[in-house]
Amino acid sequence: MATVEHCLYCFEVLSASLEKRTPMTLSQVQTSWAEYPKGLEEDSVSIASESEEPSTSIHAAPRNPTLQRVSESGRSTPGSSSSGGSGSGASSLRQESDVTTPSSNGSTPSFVPVGMQTRGSKQRSTITESPLFVTWNTVSPTSHSRHLRGCIGTFETQPLSTGLSSYALHSALQDHRFSPITKGELPSLEVSVTLLTDFETCKGALDWELGVHGIRISFYAKNRRFGACYLPDVAVEQGWDKEETMVSLMRKAGWGGKKEKWAEVGDMTVTRFQGAAESVGWEEFKAWKTWVGKK
């Protein structure tokens, strides 16, 4: 799954590019984060009070605000997935892929599946290469709503040391839907990294689970081939059912048929996949970076 270190590295690469300096390597970021004093908020801990029963435990609140809201409301969401932002809104793709979410203008709340590990010094990833997406959002300081600022990724397996660096810059500076991110915008940003896993060909157009799978479609209509993709969090963020998700994704691909006729297109192929995401905001990156500078 994606880790805090992956997100910190993306911030480091972008800020270094805008500040005209040489960035730390992924290995250096990972080593530094392991030494960084993160406090109890990083790990789930059980604290037994003298006045409480021995079995009573208090768990540190998840640092991701959406995961905290989900935990507090008692809702359960299937599977481990998603970007999102994690909060990913619309995603753009390099030539190798074509993932997108519905709108590049509206705000999209973060979605993090229940069961995702909280971030901390004990969380480590042994993944060294993966298909990946990097999403940049601007975060409102008052409402904490997220607005997509750029998202580009690839379905081609990438070494994380080079893939994260490349797509952190592609998504920030080369998403054709947005102007390039500027140095002055850094304090308003949040980055989300999604590593894609478990690719499977679906037995049918609806052979996938909401909140668990992202889907990539390919179909034929009006003498041309169409294709597009959504990351796992998109349908849940938008409140769609499976058919609504399929119609929206087909629209994204450029299909203009009647929504009632979506299942009648030719040669529909659906590939499902999962995505393990993590996100970090500028303040967290800046606190870590300040600590690194004092070492």
Side-chain angles (χ1 to χ4, degrees), residues 36-283:
Y36 179 58
K38 294 174 280 294
L40 291 178
E41 76 278 6
E42 301 296 336
D43 300 290
S44 294
V45 294
S46 296
I47 305 173
S49 168
E50 293 180 357
S51 62
E52 296 173 334
E53 294 296 327
S55 61
T56 302
S57 63
I58 302 174
H59 295 280
R63 289 165 51 190
N64 185 293
T66 303
L67 183 54
Q68 183 174 357
R69 290 196 298 272
V70 172
S71 299
E72 290 171 349
S73 66
R75 291 188 291 128
S76 104
T77 308
S80 96
S81 63
S82 168
S83 71
S86 75
S88 68
S91 307
S92 180
L93 297 165
R94 305 300 293 171
Q95 187 172 0
E96 304 97 311
S97 49
D98 50 286
V99 171
T100 315
T101 55
S103 171
S104 61
N105 298 318
S107 64
T108 55
S110 293
F111 169 71
V112 179
V114 172
M116 173 185 263
Q117 299 179 34
T118 54
R119 293 178 287 180
S121 58
K122 294 182 180 179
Q123 178 184 325
R124 290 290 172 266
S125 174
T126 59
I127 299 174
T128 59
E129 57 182 28
S130 175
L132 59 90
F133 277 79
V134 177
T135 301
W136 296 98
N137 293 306
T138 56
V139 182
S140 167
T142 53
S143 66
H144 302 292
S145 60
R146 287 158 175 78
H147 297 261
L148 183 67
R149 191 62 180 83
C151 184
I152 295 179
T154 177
F155 287 100
E156 299 294 328
T157 298
Q158 304 285 308
L160 295 186
S161 58
T162 55
L164 289 173
S165 175
S166 176
Y167 284 93
L169 294 179
H170 286 327
S171 57
L173 307 176
Q174 298 178 21
D175 189 326
H176 63 85
R177 298 164 298 174
F178 305 95
S179 60
I181 289 175
T182 64
K183 182 179 177 180
E185 292 181 82
L186 288 173
S188 68
L189 292 179
E190 176 188 76
V191 66
S192 175
V193 174
T194 307
L195 304 185
L196 309 183
T197 64
D198 301 302
F199 289 86
E200 301 173 297
T201 301
C202 296
K203 297 178 181 178
L206 303 181
D207 181 29
W208 51 276
E209 295 184 50
L210 289 166
V212 175
H213 297 114
I215 54 172
R216 185 181 190 182
I217 64 172
S218 175
F219 61 96
Y220 191 80
K222 295 185 176 180
N223 299 317
R224 59 171 291 197
R225 173 68 59 179
F226 296 83
C229 179
Y230 278 155
L231 295 177
D233 57 338
V234 175
V236 176
E237 288 179 349
Q238 301 300 320
W240 296 330
D241 62 24
K242 290 184 180 182
E243 288 199 14
E244 289 171 328
T245 302
M246 286 295 297
V247 172
S248 176
L249 186 52
M250 292 170 69
R251 296 279 191 233
K252 171 58 190 174
W255 180 70
K258 296 181 179 180
K259 63 180 181 179
E260 298 83 3
K261 303 290 187 180
W262 73 268
E264 298 180 11
V265 299
D267 193 24
M268 171 66 78
T269 300
V270 180
T271 301
R272 67 189 186 190
F273 59 89
Q274 299 185 44
E278 184 59 275
S279 61
V280 163
W282 170 258
E283 290 302 321

Side-chain angles (χ1 to χ4, degrees), residues 4-19 21 23 134 136-137 164 168-169 185-193 279-286 288-289:
V4 175
E5 296 98 309
H6 297 151
C7 297
L8 292 173
Y9 181 54
C10 289
F11 253 128
E12 170 67 3
V13 168
L14 177 59
S15 62
S17 174
L18 296 175
E19 294 165 1
R21 60 177 176 83
V134 177
W136 296 98
N137 293 306
L164 289 173
L169 294 179
E185 292 181 82
L186 288 173
S188 68
L189 292 179
E190 176 188 76
V191 66
S192 175
V193 174
S279 61
V280 163
W282 170 258
E283 290 302 321
E284 184 171 12
F285 166 76
K286 190 65 175 177
W288 164 79
K289 188 66 176 175

